[in-house]
Amino acid sequence: MSEIVAVIGKIFLIVGLAFDLLGCIGLVRLPDVYNRLQASTKCVTLGTCFILFGTFLLSGFLWKSILAIVFIVMSSPTGAHAIAHAAHRSGIKLWEKSVVDKLKEDKK
Amino acid sequence: MKKLVLGIISFLCWMVLTWTLYLPSLLVGLVVSMFIALWFGDVFVERARNFFQIKRLAYLLYYIPLFTYYCLLANFDVAYRVLHPALPIEPGIVKVKTTLTNTTAKVALANSITLTPGTLSVEMTDDGYLYVHWIKVRTRDVEEATEMIIRKFEKVLKEIFE
Amino acid sequence: MMTDIPLIFSLPLIISCFLCLYRVFRGPTPADRIVAVDILGILVVGFCALFTIYTPRKFFMDIGIAWAVLGFIGALALAKYLEGKGFDE
């Protein structure tokens, strides 16, 4: 039984690490702040949650990691929203191939 | 009532963090969470009676797998867009309208938007409009965008928080 | 107990951290740098989780939770700074 749990935990760990890496590749490859924020926030949040869930399974049901998952899922999108809001307020342009910017149109 | 809810939540957090039944530790946690509840109970909790309604908790239990499913979908979407050599993106900021009025519900909706496929909440106005950065703009109309982005969460969140 | 998790598992996280650092150095606008620092903070929580597994010291999880809290507050403060309003609002 514990071996099955260990294998599942390792699978979660590997998938989480892969998502983290993908999120950071997105951080490097995508063209402007908002796209980078999207890719990195989504992938790194879920990847770290998977790593923490793998920790929960591999280290003998450590409930602290579930608390950490809840906290990260609640706090990380809020931080991303704050950064996106502040970037748009401070006048950082969208990528030049962007198709529409309703917020800028409405502010005028 | 409000203070009782916050006290229970913070004491549960303390129990999970320490993970022991050693009596002095429990007493310290009880005193600390009591002080927190007395000071911040009125700020943190809006409507305390909602915490004890079974229907809301059941909808919350239904919301968690729904949210996890869309979260996974979002990750595969990002993986596809990032690893594709031509970067198939077409970004833009669109406007959606929500009918939620409660502050907690709006925050939950904005967080859900940020973690689901291709969208990121940028700004929220007081009269219920949300500006959403979309990585692949499929429509510019407010109604259609509302239908595509937030309808699936709004129904459940309305049952939970309002 | 689970000492058979090899150190190689932390390699993707190290590469991710270097990609974030590249964005911190190269970022054309301040917002890019702030995003990269925020993401770096969440990656450190992942490191703490890995340390919890492959060392016998369980307290790394506590460090991870505290790091998540501090990183969140730091991101909010940096966003306020970017908005140009000062810290007193």
Side-chain angles (χ1 to χ4, degrees):
Chain A
M1 187 61 202
S2 69
E3 286 168 2
I4 299 172
V5 170
V7 169
I8 295 172
K10 275 186 193 171
I11 290 171
F12 266 102
L13 210 60
I14 292 170
V15 173
L17 290 168
F19 276 146
D20 268 9
L21 194 58
L22 282 173
C24 288
I25 291 172
L27 189 65
V28 170
R29 274 200 74 194
L30 289 173
D32 76 340
V33 182
Y34 307 99
N35 294 317
R36 282 170 195 153
L37 203 51
Q38 285 217 16
S40 54
T41 304
K42 284 186 189 86
C43 275
V44 174
T45 304
L46 197 80
T48 307
C49 286
F50 270 31
I51 293 177
L52 287 167
F53 195 73
T55 311
F56 170 70
L57 292 178
L58 283 173
S59 61
F61 298 102
L62 188 73
W63 284 91
K64 277 176 212 173
S65 49
I66 299 294
L67 199 67
I69 288 176
V70 172
F71 187 78
I72 284 184
V73 167
M74 275 159 61
S75 77
S76 160
T78 314
H81 171 80
I83 294 172
H85 181 86
H88 204 281
R89 274 281 173 86
S90 71
I92 290 170
K93 298 270 191 304
L94 269 75
W95 189 37
E96 63 263 25
K97 286 182 195 161
S98 302
V99 287
V100 59
D101 190 352
K102 280 271 174 67
L103 182 53
K104 206 173 175 185
E105 289 166 16
D106 284 1
K107 264 195 183 155
K108 277 176 186 169
Chain B
M1 194 72 169
K2 288 176 176 178
K3 290 171 182 166
L4 183 69
V5 168
L6 187 59
I8 289 172
I9 291 175
S10 38
F11 188 61
L12 277 180
C13 283
W14 174 274
M15 292 253 296
V16 172
L17 271 177
T18 55
W19 202 248
T20 170
L21 286 176
Y22 182 52
L23 192 62
S25 155
L26 283 185
L27 281 179
V28 169
L30 202 61
V31 170
V32 170
S33 52
M34 211 173 69
F35 271 112
I36 290 174
L38 285 180
W39 277 331
F40 299 110
D42 297 328
V43 186
F44 190 74
V45 185
E46 268 188 3
R47 277 173 286 176
R49 212 172 292 118
N50 290 358
F51 277 90
F52 302 107
Q53 290 176 0
I54 302 295
K55 201 185 102 199
R56 291 174 196 273
L57 293 178
Y59 269 105
L60 187 64
L61 277 185
Y62 166 69
Y63 185 66
I64 290 170
L66 182 81
F67 178 68
T68 315
Y69 168 71
Y70 279 109
C71 217
L72 272 172
L73 213 64
N75 276 273
F76 287 113
D77 183 63
V78 168
Y80 163 71
R81 289 188 201 286
V82 163
L83 292 181
H84 198 284
L87 281 182
I89 63 174
E90 195 178 308
I93 293 182
V94 296
K95 187 177 174 184
V96 298
K97 176 153 177 52
T98 169
T99 52
L100 298 173
T101 50
N102 191 353
T103 320
T104 319
K106 276 187 186 171
V107 170
L109 181 68
N111 280 2
S112 309
I113 285 173
T114 301
L115 285 181
T116 47
T119 49
L120 169 78
S121 58
V122 175
E123 177 140 40
M124 179 186 287
T125 57
D126 291 331
D127 50 348
Y129 284 104
L130 268 164
Y131 293 90
V132 175
H133 182 268
W134 208 352
I135 206 166
K136 177 91 182 171
V137 175
R138 282 185 282 169
T139 171
R140 300 177 191 206
D141 186 49
V142 176
E143 292 298 321
E144 282 180 34
T146 308
E147 199 65 37
M148 282 165 127
I149 296 176
I150 63 171
R151 191 60 75 207
K152 49 192 185 259
F153 301 119
E154 210 177 27
K155 280 182 290 187
V156 188
L157 283 174
K158 191 169 263 180
E159 296 291 337
I160 296 175
F161 288 109
E162 295 201 356
Chain C
M1 49 186 283
M2 290 294 300
T3 46
D4 62 335
I5 302 286
L7 202 65
I8 196 111
F9 272 14
S10 64
L11 198 63
L13 276 180
I14 293 171
I15 297 171
S16 308
C17 284
F18 274 105
L19 292 176
C20 279
L21 282 178
Y22 169 80
R23 187 45 73 196
V24 171
F25 285 130
R26 277 293 304 279
T29 64
D32 289 303
R33 300 197 168 97
I34 291 174
V35 172
V37 169
D38 185 26
I39 297 305
L40 207 53
I42 304 178
L43 288 178
V44 170
V45 181
F47 269 117
C48 289
L50 282 185
F51 282 149
T52 314
I53 301 170
Y54 70 73
T55 65
R57 301 183 180 84
K58 291 277 191 277
F59 63 80
F60 272 110
M61 204 62 241
D62 301 289
I63 298 175
I65 294 174
W67 199 290
V69 175
L70 291 178
F72 172 56
I73 295 171
L76 288 188
L78 286 171
K80 272 285 175 212
Y81 155 74
L82 185 64
E83 215 165 335
K85 278 185 177 172
F87 292 101
D88 54 359
E89 196 176 337

Short mmCIF file of all heavy atoms in Angstrom, two decimals, chain A residues 64-89:
data_model
loop_
_atom_site.label_atom_id
_atom_site.label_comp_id
_atom_site.label_asym_id
_atom_site.label_seq_id
_atom_site.Cartn_x
_atom_site.Cartn_y
_atom_site.Cartn_z
N LYS A 64 0.60 19.85 6.81
CA LYS A 64 1.04 21.22 6.57
C LYS A 64 1.07 21.56 5.10
O LYS A 64 0.78 22.68 4.70
CB LYS A 64 2.44 21.40 7.12
CG LYS A 64 2.54 21.69 8.56
CD LYS A 64 4.00 21.73 8.90
CE LYS A 64 4.19 21.23 10.30
NZ LYS A 64 5.60 21.11 10.60
N SER A 65 1.44 20.58 4.28
CA SER A 65 1.58 20.89 2.86
C SER A 65 0.22 21.17 2.23
O SER A 65 0.12 21.96 1.29
CB SER A 65 2.30 19.76 2.14
OG SER A 65 1.72 18.55 2.48
N ILE A 66 -0.85 20.54 2.77
CA ILE A 66 -2.19 20.87 2.27
C ILE A 66 -2.51 22.33 2.60
O ILE A 66 -3.07 23.08 1.79
CB ILE A 66 -3.23 19.93 2.89
CG1 ILE A 66 -2.93 18.50 2.51
CG2 ILE A 66 -4.62 20.30 2.41
CD1 ILE A 66 -3.09 18.20 1.06
N LEU A 67 -2.11 22.75 3.81
CA LEU A 67 -2.32 24.16 4.20
C LEU A 67 -1.55 25.08 3.26
O LEU A 67 -2.07 26.12 2.82
CB LEU A 67 -1.85 24.35 5.63
CG LEU A 67 -2.36 25.58 6.37
CD1 LEU A 67 -3.83 25.45 6.57
CD2 LEU A 67 -1.65 25.74 7.67
N ALA A 68 -0.33 24.66 2.90
CA ALA A 68 0.46 25.48 1.98
C ALA A 68 -0.20 25.55 0.61
O ALA A 68 -0.21 26.61 -0.03
CB ALA A 68 1.87 24.91 1.86
N ILE A 69 -0.81 24.42 0.15
CA ILE A 69 -1.50 24.43 -1.14
C ILE A 69 -2.65 25.43 -1.10
O ILE A 69 -2.80 26.26 -2.01
CB ILE A 69 -2.05 23.03 -1.47
CG1 ILE A 69 -0.93 22.08 -1.84
CG2 ILE A 69 -3.04 23.10 -2.61
CD1 ILE A 69 -1.39 20.69 -2.09
N VAL A 70 -3.46 25.38 -0.04
CA VAL A 70 -4.58 26.30 0.07
C VAL A 70 -4.09 27.74 0.04
O VAL A 70 -4.61 28.61 -0.68
CB VAL A 70 -5.38 26.03 1.37
CG1 VAL A 70 -6.42 27.11 1.59
CG2 VAL A 70 -6.04 24.70 1.29
N PHE A 71 -3.01 28.00 0.77
CA PHE A 71 -2.52 29.37 0.82
C PHE A 71 -2.01 29.84 -0.53
O PHE A 71 -2.30 30.95 -0.97
CB PHE A 71 -1.43 29.52 1.88
CG PHE A 71 -1.06 30.93 2.04
CD1 PHE A 71 -1.88 31.77 2.75
CD2 PHE A 71 0.04 31.46 1.42
CE1 PHE A 71 -1.58 33.09 2.85
CE2 PHE A 71 0.34 32.77 1.52
CZ PHE A 71 -0.47 33.59 2.24
N ILE A 72 -1.27 28.97 -1.23
CA ILE A 72 -0.70 29.40 -2.52
C ILE A 72 -1.81 29.62 -3.54
O ILE A 72 -1.80 30.61 -4.28
CB ILE A 72 0.33 28.38 -3.01
CG1 ILE A 72 1.60 28.55 -2.22
CG2 ILE A 72 0.65 28.57 -4.47
CD1 ILE A 72 2.70 27.69 -2.64
N VAL A 73 -2.81 28.72 -3.56
CA VAL A 73 -3.90 28.89 -4.53
C VAL A 73 -4.66 30.18 -4.27
O VAL A 73 -5.12 30.85 -5.19
CB VAL A 73 -4.84 27.66 -4.48
CG1 VAL A 73 -6.12 27.93 -5.22
CG2 VAL A 73 -4.17 26.49 -5.11
N MET A 74 -4.76 30.58 -2.99
CA MET A 74 -5.48 31.82 -2.72
C MET A 74 -4.63 33.06 -2.97
O MET A 74 -5.15 34.08 -3.40
CB MET A 74 -6.01 31.83 -1.28
CG MET A 74 -7.34 31.13 -1.18
SD MET A 74 -7.74 30.57 0.44
CE MET A 74 -7.78 32.02 1.37
N SER A 75 -3.33 32.98 -2.71
CA SER A 75 -2.53 34.22 -2.74
C SER A 75 -1.91 34.51 -4.09
O SER A 75 -1.82 35.67 -4.48
CB SER A 75 -1.43 34.14 -1.69
OG SER A 75 -0.40 33.32 -2.14
N SER A 76 -1.51 33.49 -4.83
CA SER A 76 -0.76 33.74 -6.06
C SER A 76 -1.57 34.46 -7.14
O SER A 76 -1.06 35.42 -7.75
CB SER A 76 -0.20 32.41 -6.56
OG SER A 76 0.13 32.48 -7.88
N PRO A 77 -2.84 34.10 -7.41
CA PRO A 77 -3.62 34.88 -8.38
C PRO A 77 -3.86 36.31 -7.94
O PRO A 77 -3.91 37.22 -8.78
CB PRO A 77 -4.94 34.13 -8.50
CG PRO A 77 -4.77 32.86 -7.86
CD PRO A 77 -3.64 32.95 -6.93
N THR A 78 -3.99 36.51 -6.61
CA THR A 78 -4.17 37.87 -6.13
C THR A 78 -2.95 38.72 -6.42
O THR A 78 -3.06 39.88 -6.86
CB THR A 78 -4.46 37.84 -4.62
OG1 THR A 78 -5.42 36.83 -4.36
CG2 THR A 78 -4.97 39.16 -4.14
N GLY A 79 -1.76 38.14 -6.19
CA GLY A 79 -0.54 38.88 -6.50
C GLY A 79 -0.43 39.18 -7.99
O GLY A 79 -0.05 40.29 -8.39
N ALA A 80 -0.82 38.19 -8.83
CA ALA A 80 -0.76 38.40 -10.28
C ALA A 80 -1.72 39.52 -10.69
O ALA A 80 -1.37 40.37 -11.52
CB ALA A 80 -1.12 37.11 -11.00
N HIS A 81 -2.92 39.52 -10.09
CA HIS A 81 -3.88 40.58 -10.40
C HIS A 81 -3.33 41.95 -10.00
O HIS A 81 -3.44 42.91 -10.76
CB HIS A 81 -5.19 40.30 -9.66
CG HIS A 81 -6.17 41.40 -9.70
ND1 HIS A 81 -6.98 41.62 -10.80
CD2 HIS A 81 -6.47 42.36 -8.82
CE1 HIS A 81 -7.74 42.68 -10.57
NE2 HIS A 81 -7.45 43.14 -9.37
N ALA A 82 -2.69 42.01 -8.83
CA ALA A 82 -2.14 43.29 -8.37
C ALA A 82 -1.06 43.78 -9.32
O ALA A 82 -1.03 44.97 -9.68
CB ALA A 82 -1.59 43.14 -6.95
N ILE A 83 -0.19 42.86 -9.77
CA ILE A 83 0.89 43.29 -10.66
C ILE A 83 0.34 43.73 -12.00
O ILE A 83 0.77 44.75 -12.56
CB ILE A 83 1.92 42.16 -10.81
CG1 ILE A 83 2.61 41.91 -9.48
CG2 ILE A 83 2.96 42.52 -11.83
CD1 ILE A 83 3.48 40.70 -9.49
N ALA A 84 -0.66 42.98 -12.55
CA ALA A 84 -1.22 43.35 -13.85
C ALA A 84 -1.91 44.71 -13.79
O ALA A 84 -1.73 45.56 -14.67
CB ALA A 84 -2.21 42.28 -14.31
N HIS A 85 -2.67 44.91 -12.72
CA HIS A 85 -3.37 46.18 -12.50
C HIS A 85 -2.38 47.34 -12.44
O HIS A 85 -2.53 48.36 -13.11
CB HIS A 85 -4.13 46.03 -11.19
CG HIS A 85 -4.92 47.20 -10.80
ND1 HIS A 85 -6.20 47.40 -11.26
CD2 HIS A 85 -4.64 48.25 -10.00
CE1 HIS A 85 -6.66 48.52 -10.75
NE2 HIS A 85 -5.75 49.06 -9.98
N ALA A 86 -1.31 47.13 -11.64
CA ALA A 86 -0.32 48.21 -11.47
C ALA A 86 0.41 48.46 -12.77
O ALA A 86 0.69 49.62 -13.13
CB ALA A 86 0.66 47.82 -10.38
N ALA A 87 0.70 47.38 -13.54
CA ALA A 87 1.40 47.58 -14.81
C ALA A 87 0.55 48.38 -15.78
O ALA A 87 1.04 49.28 -16.47
CB ALA A 87 1.76 46.22 -15.41
N HIS A 88 -0.76 48.06 -15.81
CA HIS A 88 -1.62 48.81 -16.73
C HIS A 88 -1.78 50.25 -16.27
O HIS A 88 -1.81 51.17 -17.09
CB HIS A 88 -2.98 48.12 -16.86
CG HIS A 88 -3.67 48.46 -18.13
ND1 HIS A 88 -4.34 49.64 -18.33
CD2 HIS A 88 -3.76 47.78 -19.30
CE1 HIS A 88 -4.82 49.67 -19.55
NE2 HIS A 88 -4.49 48.56 -20.17
N ARG A 89 -1.88 50.47 -14.96
CA ARG A 89 -1.97 51.82 -14.43
C ARG A 89 -0.75 52.65 -14.77
O ARG A 89 -0.85 53.83 -15.10
CB ARG A 89 -2.10 51.77 -12.91
CG ARG A 89 -3.47 51.62 -12.40
CD ARG A 89 -4.21 52.94 -12.44
NE ARG A 89 -5.60 52.73 -12.08
CZ ARG A 89 -6.02 52.73 -10.83
NH1 ARG A 89 -5.19 52.94 -9.84
NH2 ARG A 89 -7.29 52.52 -10.57
#
